[in-house]
Amino acid sequence: SYGIGVEGTILLGLDEHSEDDIKRLIDFLLEIDLDLAEFTVLTPFPHTRAFEDLKKDNRITTFDWSQYTADKVVFKPKQMTADKLQELYEYAWDTFYKEESQVFKMFKLFKKVM
């Protein structure tokens, strides 16, 4: 009602995240009617604490830097397989934008704030 839109940037793949946690998070985002969401996968970029911690624990699965795009799982998650986390990342995008595409939601948000 005040012309304010809310976009959430959601990081998936933290050690605390289980499959159920991620699915409940997506349900919550839909329930609160978030205007837009951007989903990313934890990516242990070089020279970050995440990189050092995951490397020390031998959980990094590739050092092919072209794969470090924040939409590909390049490490071993703690509570699920890398494939399952990748699947949940895609599930998040598909589920959040199932009823309305990202482009349409952006258009609605633009109209709301103008």
Side-chain angles (χ1 to χ4, degrees), residues 14-19 21 59 76-81:
L14 300 176
D15 282 349
E16 298 81 27
H17 290 170
S18 69
E19 178 178 351
D21 292 333
R59 290 173 54 198
K76 297 175 194 168
K78 205 168 209 175
Q79 298 196 45
M80 65 193 83
T81 66

Side-chain angles (χ1 to χ4, degrees), residues 42-56:
L42 175 68
T43 304
F45 292 107
H47 309 292
T48 65
R49 184 172 181 179
F51 180 85
E52 297 304 323
D53 290 347
L54 291 170
K55 185 176 178 191
K56 180 181 72 170

Side-chain angles (χ1 to χ4, degrees), residues 66-87:
S66 71
Q67 298 297 305
Y68 282 58
T69 57
D71 66 347
K72 293 181 180 79
V73 180
V74 296
F75 71 100
K76 297 175 194 168
K78 205 168 209 175
Q79 298 196 45
M80 65 193 83
T81 66
D83 287 342
K84 177 53 76 173
L85 179 55
Q86 188 69 49
E87 179 184 307

